[in-house]
């Protein structure tokens, strides 16, 4: 036999396999309708676990684990098909549908917005790209930004979630888990770090440079060219510029945005000192209320998956089944829980997609805990 003979036999098996799979799915659909009529839940984990073990034991020893994996996927698909047939809506899918219908067609042009830092911060620059005429209130910490929205002082907040060079802002993920907030828009902001000082200052006279820790890490190569200078982290790049302006000293400088030269009467000693020119930070606009504006094509989720082999794979295979593209996947240890992780997902698909709504409707049976963070579009 040559390879074509083998392929012909495999093709014959595939035809039989598809016929049997179609018959199995038809029967599963009938079971789903029966469960709906008799008010029984679709997911029966005890039976599934028992059946997978039983079926795996029927297979030859050398493919027992492959059989277990195959039927784990088949059971996932069967449940999904049953949910589609019975139209199992959930409180979440109803909330999303209602938000789509009730959210205004235009994103607000003016609003009270909370930003972390002071005038000239990159969060302010991001805010100005999202809102035309924002009334900005500045707060010293990310936690305070969340609290300002929670207490009704501001309708929205602007916070960074990741940088292309320095990575994720982990504190924000923790706060998103702590507070029930939603992302209503995001913006990808190019970050340009500049060395700012009081007019008349010379680089050779510098003794101290202030900035946020992420900005310091993003300008590492430049800082190596100024030996002997003490690098001092502070809570925000704009705060660093403000400190330098207030100091009155000509031996200190700040790594900050060029906008701070305007606010604090500083001089740019050297521009664009970041290590990489393609340095971007992604900011999200958060709200206490779920608002889904027209054109929303990105959805963010946080999931707590079972601490068991294959749990992440099963969820990813579910995304593949629904044809949902994954933009970002990141894990984060859950505070105060040993060896448990939260997974953060950015999904690239329109919120109007029936497949997305179906997948979201099935989340309660797919994971131990989940947080829907919103559906929105991103300004680039």
């Amino acid at each position: 036999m040559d390879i074509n003979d083998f392929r012909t036999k495999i093709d014959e098996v595939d035809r039989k396999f598809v016929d049997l799979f179609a018959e199995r799915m038809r029967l599963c659909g009938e079971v789903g309708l029966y469960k709906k009529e008799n008010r029984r839940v679709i997911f029966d984990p005890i039976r599934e676990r028992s059946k997978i073990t039983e079926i795996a034991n029927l297979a030859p020893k050398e493919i027992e684990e492959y059989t277990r994996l195959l039927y784990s996927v088949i059971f996932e698909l069967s449940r999904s098909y049953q949910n589609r047939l019975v139209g199992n809506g959930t409180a979440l899918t109803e909330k999303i549908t209602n938000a789509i219908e009730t959210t205004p067609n235009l994103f607000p042009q003016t609003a009270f917005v909370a930003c972390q830092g002071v005038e000239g911060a990159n969060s302010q620059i991001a805010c100005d790209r999202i809102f035309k005429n924002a009334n900005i209130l500045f707060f010293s910490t990310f936690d305070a930004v969340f609290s300002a929205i929670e207490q009704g002082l501001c309708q929205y907040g602007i916070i960074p979630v990741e940088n292309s060079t320095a990575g994720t802002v982990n504190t924000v993920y923790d706060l998103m888990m702590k507070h029930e907030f939603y992302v209503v828009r995001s913006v990808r902001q190019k970050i340009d770090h500049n060395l700012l000082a009081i007019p008349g200052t010379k680089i050779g006279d510098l003794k101290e440079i202030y900035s946020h820790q992420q900005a310091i890490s993003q300008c590492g190569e430049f800082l190596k060219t100024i030996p002997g200078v003490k690098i001092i982290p502070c809570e925000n790049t704009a705060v660093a510029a403000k400190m330098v302006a207030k100091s009155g000293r000509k031996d200190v400088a700040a790594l900050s945005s060029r906008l701070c030269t305007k606010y604090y009467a500083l001089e740019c000693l050297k521009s664009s000192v970041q290590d990489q020119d393609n340095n971007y930070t992604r900011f999200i606009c958060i709200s206490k209320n779920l608002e889904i504006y027209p054109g929303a094509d990105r959805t963010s989720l946080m999931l707590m998956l079972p601490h068991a082999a294959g749990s992440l794979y099963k969820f990813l295979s579910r995304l593949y089944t629904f044809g949902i593209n994954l933009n970002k996947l990141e894990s984060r240890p859950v505070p105060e829980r040993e060896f448990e992780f939260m997974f953060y997902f950015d999904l690239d698909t329109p919120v109007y997609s029936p497949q997305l709504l179906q997948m979201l409707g099935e989340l309660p049976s797919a994971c131990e805990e989940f947080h829907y963070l919103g559906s929105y579009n991103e300004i680039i």
Side-chain angles (χ1 to χ4, degrees), residues 101-121:
E101 294 173 353
T102 58
T103 301
N105 289 331
L106 293 177
F107 195 81
Q109 302 298 296
T110 61
F112 282 93
V113 183
C115 291
Q116 188 265 339
V118 295
E119 287 87 352

Side-chain angles (χ1 to χ4, degrees), residues 5-16:
D5 295 322
F6 288 116
R7 286 172 174 169
T8 299
K9 288 185 174 294
I10 289 174
D11 290 344
E12 291 174 2
V13 171
D14 284 341
R15 281 191 289 271
K16 295 176 182 177

Side-chain angles (χ1 to χ4, degrees), residues 160-374:
V161 287
E162 63 179 317
N163 177 266
S164 58
T165 303
T168 299
V169 185
N170 290 321
T171 306
V172 171
Y173 284 159
D174 294 340
L175 288 168
M176 292 294 282
M177 289 181 66
K178 178 181 175 183
H179 301 271
E180 189 178 348
F181 279 53
Y182 299 100
V183 183
V184 297
R185 187 141 294 188
S186 66
V187 60
R188 191 166 173 259
Q189 178 69 36
K190 190 175 189 303
I191 302 299
D192 196 40
H193 296 306
N194 304 275
L195 189 66
L196 310 184
I198 288 177
T201 303
K202 299 187 182 303
I203 292 180
D205 296 333
L206 294 178
K207 295 180 181 178
E208 297 173 355
I209 293 178
Y210 298 87
S211 197
H212 186 270
Q213 184 57 59
Q214 283 209 343
I216 292 169
S217 66
Q218 292 163 18
C219 302
E221 293 303 314
F222 168 72
L223 293 175
K224 289 178 184 177
T225 66
I226 318 175
V229 174
K230 185 177 181 180
I231 309 300
I232 303 174
C234 58
E235 62 265 32
N236 185 275
T237 57
V239 168
K242 190 174 183 178
M243 289 169 59
V244 168
K246 282 188 173 183
S247 73
R249 295 166 53 187
K250 291 189 176 182
D251 60 351
V252 297
L255 293 171
S256 191
S257 69
R258 186 176 284 272
L259 183 62
C260 287
T261 60
K262 169 185 174 182
Y263 282 107
Y264 305 113
L266 297 176
E267 182 178 68
C268 181
L269 302 185
K270 193 169 180 63
S271 61
S272 301
V273 297
Q274 63 271 10
D275 297 341
Q276 298 180 21
D277 190 50
N278 59 338
N279 184 18
Y280 291 87
T281 292
R282 185 166 165 246
F283 291 85
I284 55 175
C285 178
I286 58 173
S287 171
K288 186 67 177 172
N289 301 317
L290 176 59
E291 300 172 3
I292 302 177
Y293 290 92
D297 58 3
R298 182 188 290 248
T299 292
S300 294
L301 302 171
M302 283 195 217
L303 304 184
M304 287 275 295
L305 297 175
H307 189 57
S311 60
L312 178 59
Y313 165 79
K314 287 180 180 178
F315 183 75
L316 293 175
S317 66
R318 187 182 297 259
L319 296 182
Y320 175 76
T321 300
F322 286 120
I324 297 174
N325 188 40
L326 181 63
N327 264 351
K328 181 179 180 180
L329 167 59
E330 189 158 347
S331 64
R332 173 85 175 132
V334 178
E336 300 177 359
R337 295 195 196 179
E338 292 187 5
F339 306 111
E340 291 192 44
F341 290 83
M342 172 276 296
F343 291 90
Y344 177 92
F345 296 84
D346 275 343
L347 308 178
D348 179 22
T349 187
V351 70
Y352 317 99
S353 162
Q355 290 80 7
L356 175 65
L357 288 178
Q358 185 182 343
M359 186 276 293
L360 293 175
E362 296 175 9
L363 281 180
S365 64
C367 57
E368 294 182 350
E369 181 182 334
F370 69 91
H371 298 269
Y372 168 71
L373 301 181

Side-chain angles (χ1 to χ4, degrees), residues 56-66:
N57 289 336
L58 294 175
K61 199 69 179 175
E62 63 269 20
I63 62 167
E64 181 178 325
E65 288 306 312
Y66 294 103

